[in-house]
Amino acid sequence: MDKALWLCAGAVFGSVACIAVNRYWDSFSDPKSREWIFFRRETKVTVALDTSKVDEEAILPDLSDEILVEQFTRNVQFFGLEGQKRVQASFVIVVGLGGVGSHAAAMLLRSGVGKLRLIDFDQVSLSSLNRHAVATRDDVGTPKAVCLKEHFSRIYPECVIEACSELFDESSAEDLLSGSPDFVLDCIDNIDTKVFLIATCNKKSLRVLSATGAGARADPTRVRIADVCESSIDPLSRAVRHRLRRLHGIESGVPVVFSMERPKAKLLPVNGVDGQEGNPSDYQIVPGFRVRIIPVLGTIPAIFGQVMASYTIAKLAGLQVETEPVVNLDVEHYAVLHRRLIEREELLYGTADAVEVSSFMASWRCFLQSLHLKVDKEEVAYVVRELWRGKSARNQDSHDVGRGMWRSVNKLTLTRWDHKQPPSVSNLILLTFQEAEKHEASSVEEIKEQEPAFYAMVTETLNRGKKEF
């Protein structure tokens, strides 16, 4: 009997001891021990499900907090403290939380954005798992916005997150875009809704970044960011561009993420219960939304989302990043422009001693002068592509893309910006032939006095070339 009592007492003592040890261990397994666990549990993380909205008075995270300083130390090292503070104080809306939007939102969170509004009416499905940023099998059937909210609160609990499980349309737009967001990310795959969102943001003067087609692609090296007027190849971006112009009079000023790779597959047909191909509109849960499936390699939407997040975070932090220009020119185009520069130097200055001249394209005299060369074909390609983006310096808003850009080269030539200085990366400007003749008849001093804005733009561009090349 005594043994039984002792055994019972030992069991009770062991249980209590285990509980105490577990709690003690939890307190030290966390970065800031028990006090930090208590602080974390008490930290205000607003949970807004469905259509409920986050408190507009919610306090954004304080970067002076010791834990946050450590969590975002790499960002501070990259952007500087003031840049990261701007990120921390920002408010970003992500519309569409599939393969693209979930990855974009995840990296915005991990980079320290202080307030996020996540919008999507759809739920996580099993087929979502090949491209979603955080969803697991346990999340299948959960609203995508709620799924992200739950995972995000474990990564960065101080972030003010609003999960809106509702459809973005004309009836909800005013409410869902409220609160003066610093950026809106359009990750919608429906053309009509996408165009409406972009047009609404344009009307409200909200900065918006739009993702186009990520499905049916496999080459990550062809993903680009450019103005919507420069997007090419991608059928979705082309359709968006045309509808924006036709329905809303918007031709440019909207940055988009797109792939220059031609789609590797088409939308799959919708089959009815009898196995025969049916009418897609008969299977729409929401009118106007696509029900046909497009094959997706999960890595490409993820890259789209990462690109969107990188662009947005840099803008929020105030970091100046020059995106790669979408210039559809080849080696021969640059060679033509190089030869034109040689000819122009000969015509205007009687010498080409500042320009490389190939032996098969020039006389013996020019070949001897080539010993003193300063501009070669590589530098011409850099000036044309990186500095002037394949367009006349006086018409940087040109909408020429694809073959239109190829044809435009027939009218372009390089010439000196300052006639008194030799041709170089920091003294070459791309103009049409007529513009070049007019420019060569004036001086930099006259341009500075008569066209100060143009002078400032060219000077800034050429200074960047001098610094980079």
Side-chain angles (χ1 to χ4, degrees):
M1 185 67 178
D2 290 341
K3 281 187 176 181
L5 289 173
W6 278 110
L7 286 172
C8 289
V12 171
F13 177 80
S15 299
V16 172
C18 287
I19 293 171
V21 168
N22 283 336
R23 289 185 175 178
Y24 181 79
W25 177 255
D26 283 345
S27 70
F28 283 95
S29 64
D30 200 86
K32 296 300 291 183
S33 73
R34 186 182 299 277
E35 290 74 23
W36 164 236
I37 290 176
F38 176 78
F39 172 75
R40 181 176 64 187
R41 288 171 180 165
E42 292 300 315
T43 299
K44 181 179 180 182
V45 182
T46 307
V47 179
L49 304 181
D50 298 323
T51 60
S52 59
K53 293 294 176 284
V54 110
D55 181 5
E56 296 295 342
E57 302 291 326
I59 300 174
L60 294 175
D62 180 6
L63 192 57
S64 65
D65 180 87
E66 183 179 350
I67 296 298
L68 297 184
V69 169
E70 179 63 24
Q71 182 168 346
F72 298 110
T73 183
R74 295 295 189 273
N75 289 59
V76 172
Q77 292 167 350
F78 188 79
F79 292 124
L81 182 59
E82 292 305 313
Q84 184 60 23
K85 281 183 177 180
R86 287 191 286 270
V87 173
Q88 215 88 9
S90 62
F91 168 31
V92 180
I93 296 175
V94 183
V95 187
L97 304 174
V100 176
S102 64
H103 282 275
M107 284 314 301
L108 291 173
L109 177 94
R110 290 186 182 276
S111 299
V113 170
K115 182 177 178 181
L116 289 170
R117 181 177 295 160
L118 309 175
I119 304 170
D120 197 313
F121 74 96
D122 203 2
Q123 298 178 341
V124 176
S125 65
L126 272 172
S127 64
S128 303
L129 302 187
N130 85 314
R131 58 194 181 280
H132 200 274
V134 299
T136 67
R137 286 189 179 182
D138 289 338
D139 296 311
V140 172
T142 303
K144 289 180 179 178
V146 176
C147 170
L148 286 178
K149 165 67 185 174
E150 292 176 348
H151 284 274
F152 286 3
S153 64
R154 295 194 291 272
I155 299 169
Y156 178 19
E158 295 78 16
C159 182
V160 179
I161 302 174
E162 179 180 359
C164 300
S165 300
E166 59 182 296
L167 178 66
F168 181 89
D169 57 18
E170 291 188 30
S171 63
S172 62
E174 192 68 29
D175 195 24
L176 293 177
L177 295 179
S178 64
S180 302
D182 298 289
F183 241 104
V184 177
L185 270 57
D186 159 37
C187 305
I188 305 169
D189 59 5
N190 175 264
I191 298 178
D192 293 333
T193 311
K194 179 180 290 291
V195 170
F196 173 70
L197 172 59
I198 295 172
T200 303
C201 288
N202 184 269
K203 183 179 180 180
K204 290 177 172 291
S205 299
L206 298 177
R207 289 193 291 182
V208 61
L209 174 63
S210 178
T212 60
R217 270 83 172 185
D219 187 353
T221 68
R222 299 190 186 221
V223 180
R224 300 286 187 274
I225 296 181
D227 192 280
V228 65
C229 69
E230 296 180 309
S231 60
S232 59
I233 306 298
D234 175 48
L236 180 57
S237 63
R238 183 166 57 246
V240 169
R241 183 172 65 246
H242 290 168
R243 294 193 193 190
L244 283 173
R245 182 174 62 247
R246 188 179 76 252
L247 300 177
H248 303 282
I250 300 172
E251 295 190 358
S252 61
V254 180
V256 297
V257 180
F258 68 102
S259 173
M260 297 181 70
E261 178 185 12
R262 295 190 181 279
K264 295 286 188 294
K266 297 181 180 180
L267 286 170
L268 299 179
V270 175
N271 293 326
V273 292
D274 57 357
Q276 300 298 315
E277 184 173 348
N279 183 357
S281 61
D282 294 338
Y283 299 89
Q284 289 177 336
I285 299 175
V286 178
F289 273 75
R290 189 183 72 207
V291 295
R292 295 171 65 193
I293 298 170
I294 189 168
V296 178
L297 175 62
T299 55
I300 304 301
I303 291 170
F304 268 60
Q306 301 286 344
V307 169
M308 295 183 82
S310 296
Y311 179 91
T312 303
I313 296 161
K315 290 290 184 182
L316 293 172
L319 179 67
Q320 184 64 33
V321 178
E322 291 291 336
T323 57
E324 182 182 12
V326 180
V327 178
N328 301 306
L329 303 179
D330 56 29
V331 175
E332 182 55 33
H333 288 109
Y334 298 124
V336 168
L337 290 167
H338 184 251
R339 287 197 296 270
R340 287 177 185 169
L341 176 59
I342 294 172
E343 295 167 358
R344 206 158 197 89
E345 287 291 307
E346 285 286 338
L347 178 65
L348 296 174
Y349 306 103
T351 177
D353 60 356
V355 183
E356 178 189 21
V357 182
S358 54
S359 58
F360 64 92
M361 290 299 300
S363 64
W364 176 249
R365 183 175 70 84
C366 288
F367 175 74
L368 293 176
Q369 291 172 339
S370 70
L371 297 175
H372 306 287
L373 303 181
K374 293 183 180 178
V375 178
D376 57 22
K377 292 178 183 177
E378 181 182 354
E379 290 170 314
V380 164
Y382 172 82
V383 170
V384 173
R385 176 183 172 82
E386 301 291 338
L387 297 187
W388 302 116
R389 308 178 81 87
K391 305 173 184 177
S392 164
R394 287 193 172 276
N395 189 20
Q396 285 290 287
D397 294 329
S398 168
H399 298 166
D400 287 331
V401 294
R403 293 183 180 179
M405 182 168 283
W406 281 43
R407 290 190 293 268
S408 69
V409 172
N410 295 329
K411 304 175 183 178
L412 296 173
T413 186
L414 287 166
T415 192
R416 300 184 190 187
W417 167 243
D418 185 347
H419 314 318
K420 301 174 184 177
Q421 301 298 322
S424 65
V425 167
S426 58
N427 193 40
L428 284 175
I429 186 170
L430 188 63
L431 298 168
T432 66
F433 285 104
Q434 290 182 339
E435 291 169 344
E437 290 178 5
K438 185 177 179 180
H439 174 75
E440 289 153 1
S442 63
S443 66
V444 173
E445 291 75 16
E446 291 173 340
I447 295 173
K448 183 177 182 180
E449 181 179 349
Q450 298 170 8
E451 301 177 87
F454 178 67
Y455 173 86
M457 182 275 290
V458 173
T459 301
E460 180 182 358
T461 302
L462 293 178
N463 285 339
R464 178 166 64 86
K466 183 178 181 180
K467 180 181 179 181
E468 291 180 352
F469 197 83

